[in-house]
Amino acid sequence: MSEIKEPYRIIISGGGTGGHIYPAIAIANAFKERFEDAEILFVGAEGKMEMQKVPEAGYKIEGLWISGLQRRLTLDNLSFPFKVWSSLLRSRKIMKRFKPHAVVGVGGYASGPLLRVAVKRNVPAVIQEQNSYAGLTNKLLAKKVRKVCVAYPNMEQFFPAEKVRLTGNPVRKDIADLAGKREKALEHFGFNAAQPVLMILGGSLGARTLNDSMIENMQQLIDAKVQVIWQSGRFYFEEMKQKLAQFEGTESIRLFEFLKEMDLAYASADVVISRAGALSVSELSIAGKPTVFVPSPNVAEDHQTKNAKAMVDNGAAVLVKDVDARKVLINEALALINDNDRKARLSENIKVLAKPNAANEIVDEIVELIA
């Protein structure tokens, strides 16, 4: 087995949402921990959140002019072939200049063009599929790449079995170790240790249903003396702030556009309400939190419902349909908060499904490919 003498050069491509970006950063961090001199370049889509989040994490990123196809006829759709051609051309230039030893695709618009160019140039390529239901781009790319790292079992229905590696989804290191953080977490949020804490996560952009469910049932939460950490998301923050101000007794409601200290939020939470994006599911499994999942119906192939059902089938979570959430979600959450036996059971079962070493296992796969 030959060994690379020069520093490793790795390209990680994809993004669009936190569910793609944060696993990508976790892989990069794990790679840099093992190989300090490694050069890592990210490739994302111009105008998407990775162009901000990746530099904040300390990595270089280059953007492609690329977006998805809309379901209706738009000007964006008419420009789509030009975007694909432009992105393939730019990907070739990036590959030629950077000369990576391996390329990792994490999903998102930029992942497709970059991986296509990589496999054509015979550069070892890996897909990291976060969801329990694979998207079309990854299914097509899987025929050409060397390995597919997945987070759920039985993914051979989508990918060639000999390429599949069950690694789990990489998550931020601080979330993997919440032991002893609760006291600091409660102090950080200004909470009383004697009262329960409910956490609501709608993803980085936000979730209309979860936010409306909170406002419509806010009085019930206030009356129950539940302390709340509420991430509304960027799109809804100002609207929710105004609506929350109409209530009295909201001293224990903490509304955030985006939660930066996610480890402290998890450490303080007794129960979590969350969308069922792959990253959220993985983080909550590692954190071992009793969770009520409300899958988004507005995602490809309804994959969030499949993610949530994979948890529910193992007795590891509660599922509330998006269409029912405004009426029953807060009742379900409060019932769970008051049922210590059920909380303990869900916490134990969700921990069993966690994959805390996912990032390092993916690095193992990449290094083995290069070698």
Side-chain angles (χ1 to χ4, degrees):
M1 191 181 284
S2 61
E3 197 172 312
I4 303 290
K5 300 295 182 189
E6 59 189 320
Y8 287 120
R9 292 185 300 278
I10 308 295
I11 293 179
I12 303 177
S13 181
T17 66
H20 294 311
I21 296 162
Y22 294 116
I25 291 170
I27 294 168
N29 289 344
F31 212 98
K32 287 291 279 185
E33 268 187 31
R34 202 179 302 184
F35 306 103
E36 281 184 39
D37 59 352
E39 294 178 49
I40 297 175
L41 176 67
F42 281 74
V43 175
E46 288 176 0
K48 296 295 179 183
M49 67 185 287
E50 59 265 28
M51 302 307 290
Q52 177 194 345
K53 298 296 179 187
V54 168
E56 283 177 2
Y59 295 101
K60 292 178 185 173
I61 186 166
E62 298 198 28
L64 304 180
W65 183 45
I66 189 70
S67 62
L69 273 169
Q70 306 298 311
R71 291 182 183 178
R72 60 192 189 283
L73 188 63
T74 65
L75 284 173
D76 264 357
N77 275 359
L78 294 175
S79 66
F80 182 72
F82 301 101
K83 289 182 178 181
V84 171
W85 178 82
S86 164
S87 295
L88 288 168
L89 198 64
R90 182 146 174 73
S91 294
R92 286 189 199 110
K93 288 178 180 175
I94 291 169
M95 293 287 293
K96 193 174 179 182
R97 185 185 72 246
F98 192 72
K99 296 183 175 65
H101 295 109
V103 170
V104 183
V106 295
Y109 302 132
S111 197
L114 202 285
L115 260 69
R116 282 183 188 280
V117 171
V119 296
K120 271 200 166 185
R121 295 173 71 96
N122 208 29
V123 174
V126 180
I127 288 172
Q128 198 266 317
E129 171 59 66
Q130 294 100 22
N131 290 295
S132 59
Y133 193 96
L136 179 62
T137 302
N138 277 355
K139 282 192 274 189
L140 293 171
L141 288 167
K143 296 169 186 174
K144 303 286 186 183
V145 302
R146 309 273 182 93
K147 289 181 182 178
V148 183
C149 295
V150 301
Y152 292 88
N154 307 316
M155 295 299 282
E156 293 82 3
Q157 60 183 307
F158 305 112
F159 304 124
E162 70 279 4
K163 296 181 181 182
V164 172
R165 303 288 186 274
L166 180 58
T167 58
N169 279 326
V171 303
R172 288 163 281 191
K173 205 175 177 184
D174 55 355
I175 291 166
D177 187 18
L178 299 180
K181 286 187 180 179
R182 184 169 170 81
E183 193 177 326
K184 180 186 174 186
L186 292 172
E187 191 180 322
H188 174 81
F189 291 106
F191 284 158
N192 180 348
Q195 290 172 250
V197 177
L198 176 66
M199 178 175 168
I200 296 89
L201 295 171
S204 50
L205 302 178
R208 165 61 68 188
T209 301
L210 299 194
N211 288 328
D212 284 353
S213 298
M214 286 296 293
I215 291 298
E216 288 173 28
N217 297 276
M218 184 54 65
Q219 194 57 54
Q220 193 179 352
L221 287 166
I222 293 166
D223 293 345
K225 293 184 167 49
V226 172
Q227 302 171 116
V228 176
I229 299 171
W230 175 12
Q231 179 181 280
S232 66
R234 179 163 51 90
F235 289 159
Y236 304 105
F237 179 70
E238 290 303 328
E239 179 191 345
M240 294 303 130
K241 192 176 171 183
Q242 287 175 19
K243 287 183 175 179
L244 186 61
Q246 295 169 14
F247 291 88
E248 289 183 10
T250 59
E251 296 81 10
S252 295
I253 312 293
R254 306 283 181 267
L255 176 65
F256 298 90
E257 178 180 332
F258 185 77
L259 279 164
K260 287 183 181 172
E261 297 85 2
M262 192 61 84
D263 59 325
L264 297 181
Y266 282 133
S268 65
D270 294 291
V271 167
V272 179
I273 292 171
S274 177
R275 283 304 202 196
L279 179 64
S280 297
V281 173
S282 297
E283 287 187 350
L284 288 159
S285 300
I286 285 170
K289 291 295 161 179
T291 303
V292 182
F293 285 117
V294 186
S296 170
N298 309 312
V299 293
E301 309 291 352
D302 197 22
H303 69 252
Q304 286 204 9
T305 297
K306 295 176 176 75
N307 291 347
K309 279 186 174 172
M311 296 287 118
V312 173
D313 290 346
N314 285 282
V318 177
L319 191 156
V320 169
K321 290 181 181 177
D322 187 89
V323 70
D324 300 328
R326 288 172 175 84
K327 287 183 180 177
V328 305
L329 177 58
I330 299 305
N331 285 334
E332 283 278 0
L334 290 175
L336 184 54
I337 280 173
N338 294 315
D339 189 337
N340 289 334
D341 289 343
R342 194 179 182 205
K343 276 190 297 187
R345 198 163 58 247
L346 289 176
S347 179
E348 195 177 311
N349 291 345
I350 203 169
K351 277 182 185 174
V352 172
L353 302 172
K355 297 276 186 185
N357 297 314
N360 281 315
E361 288 186 26
I362 292 167
V363 171
D364 288 341
E365 297 294 341
I366 297 166
V367 171
E368 187 182 297
L369 268 188
I370 297 170

